[in-house]
Amino acid sequence: MISMSWKIWVDTGGTFTDCIAVDPAGISRNLKVLSSGVLRVRVIQKIGTKVSIVLPLAVATNFLNGFRIKIGREIRTVVDFSPALNVLTVDRRFHGTQSGNIAEIYTGEEVPVFAARLLTETSLGDDFPPIEMKLGSTRGTNALLERKGARTIFLVTKGFRDLIQIGDQQRHNLFALNIEKPPPLYYKVIEVAERVESNGTVHLPLTKKEIARVISLVKKEKVLTVAIAFLNSYKNPIHEQLLGEALKHDGLAYTSLSHQLSSQIKILHRAETAVVNAYLEPIIHKYISSIQSRLNSAS
């Protein structure tokens, strides 16, 4: 049975993005591009507005129309392409006629979209065919390593403000007197007056007044994301659910609830997971949404 959609697997690393695609007829194709979203090609000759290149893949006539081509610091727009001659025509001539330059061809799209465009030979402005895409990316890992996640507020049971900073006391050098720890991913902690016992019974109810107080403090910080980790919420998540729903109803875009992300008994592990998820969720959501919108906008 012939599939009606393309199947594309994309693995985006720090430098290169590798792609495997299977078209509706079952024919597989491979592609490797730079993770910056460009295809690097060799320039044979430049004469006026004509650029002769070595293109590493076969594409249809004028498929590259509207693409950008960069040689050195000069950027031009492709207005015509002849695959038989491997000659591009650009909107303005490049300076000089020397050969052997390296050019970069790109569209300005996220690399999975750019790769899908090359693999399916979908011209700019044309509809993408139906695509089933599996995506692997280091976007989250890079954001963690570079500490470029979202500004995050950590909401925790009253009395546990320093939970993540204290941690579990594990350290690489057991006998170090000067223990250096990286700062937490969140930038502010808000303690919440609530308490659930280890058996799941509510000891201190989370009141409407307390919820309103917390929401007011969060709104003052003008953040998009919060992480919530309450004591024993793995056993009874009612307070995390109440506060999470109230925050969303008030317009907060992202809430990470520890009991939804981890079923571990210990609050530290649940809290760390919730904070990391909150820190990365806006970044990953924006990345995935931009890819989906481009692939679905025309299909």
Side-chain angles (χ1 to χ4, degrees), residues 185-255:
L185 295 177
Y186 59 81
Y187 90 101
K188 185 170 185 175
V189 180
I190 297 175
E191 294 181 275
V192 181
E194 67 79 41
R195 191 67 174 254
V196 172
E197 299 287 3
S198 59
N199 62 3
T201 60
V202 175
H203 175 72
L204 178 62
L206 178 61
T207 64
K208 291 182 179 180
K209 182 178 179 181
E210 179 67 358
I211 290 175
R213 182 189 73 86
V214 173
I215 290 177
S216 177
L217 292 174
V218 170
K219 289 177 69 174
K220 287 180 181 178
E221 301 298 333
K222 298 180 180 179
V223 296
L224 293 175
T225 181
V226 300
I228 305 176
F230 291 157
L231 195 67
N232 298 317
S233 62
Y234 78 97
K235 193 74 173 178
N236 182 358
I238 183 63
H239 289 170
E240 286 192 4
Q241 291 170 343
L242 285 173
L243 186 53
E245 289 170 4
L247 286 164
K248 283 189 175 182
H249 185 266
D250 204 70
L252 188 72
Y254 306 100
T255 57

Side-chain angles (χ1 to χ4, degrees), residues 159-173:
F160 289 81
R161 168 180 292 274
D162 300 319
L163 172 71
I164 291 180
Q165 286 186 308
I166 294 173
D168 57 9
Q169 295 297 293
Q170 290 187 12
R171 49 190 184 270
H172 296 295
N173 187 349

Side-chain angles (χ1 to χ4, degrees), residues 63-259:
F63 164 70
L64 296 178
N65 287 13
F67 281 47
R68 296 296 186 91
I69 178 170
K70 181 179 180 181
I71 303 177
R73 296 183 178 179
E74 298 180 87
I75 300 174
R76 303 290 184 266
T77 300
V78 179
V79 297
D80 186 76
F81 175 62
S82 171
L85 302 174
N86 266 345
V87 173
L88 295 167
T89 302
V90 295
D91 58 342
R92 292 177 293 120
R93 67 184 297 272
F94 283 100
H95 299 295
T97 58
Q98 68 272 25
S99 61
N101 289 332
I102 298 297
E104 293 181 346
I105 296 175
Y106 62 96
T107 61
E109 299 166 306
E110 294 282 4
V111 65
V113 178
F114 180 63
R117 189 174 297 283
L118 294 175
L119 288 164
T120 62
E121 294 187 43
T122 302
S123 301
L124 283 169
D126 287 348
D127 293 358
F128 274 102
I131 295 174
E132 297 177 20
M133 179 178 286
K134 303 292 185 182
L135 177 63
S137 174
T138 58
R139 184 64 60 98
T141 303
N142 293 340
L144 276 176
L145 293 175
E146 298 170 8
R147 302 187 74 85
K148 292 183 178 180
R151 291 176 76 236
T152 301
I153 289 179
F154 176 41
L155 307 180
V156 68
T157 301
K158 188 174 183 179
F160 289 81
R161 168 180 292 274
D162 300 319
L163 172 71
I164 291 180
Q165 286 186 308
I166 294 173
D168 57 9
Q169 295 297 293
Q170 290 187 12
R171 49 190 184 270
H172 296 295
N173 187 349
L174 184 62
F175 300 103
L177 297 178
N178 182 24
I179 303 171
E180 296 183 2
K181 299 176 66 174
L185 295 177
Y186 59 81
Y187 90 101
K188 185 170 185 175
V189 180
I190 297 175
E191 294 181 275
V192 181
E194 67 79 41
R195 191 67 174 254
V196 172
E197 299 287 3
S198 59
N199 62 3
T201 60
V202 175
H203 175 72
L204 178 62
L206 178 61
T207 64
K208 291 182 179 180
K209 182 178 179 181
E210 179 67 358
I211 290 175
R213 182 189 73 86
V214 173
I215 290 177
S216 177
L217 292 174
V218 170
K219 289 177 69 174
K220 287 180 181 178
E221 301 298 333
K222 298 180 180 179
V223 296
L224 293 175
T225 181
V226 300
I228 305 176
F230 291 157
L231 195 67
N232 298 317
S233 62
Y234 78 97
K235 193 74 173 178
N236 182 358
I238 183 63
H239 289 170
E240 286 192 4
Q241 291 170 343
L242 285 173
L243 186 53
E245 289 170 4
L247 286 164
K248 283 189 175 182
H249 185 266
D250 204 70
L252 188 72
Y254 306 100
T255 57
S256 293
L257 311 184
S258 75
H259 77 275

Side-chain angles (χ1 to χ4, degrees), residues 28 47-48 69 83 89 127 131 227 253 266 277 284:
S28 63
I47 301 177
I69 178 170
T89 302
D127 293 358
I131 295 174
K266 294 184 177 180
N277 188 76
I284 301 301

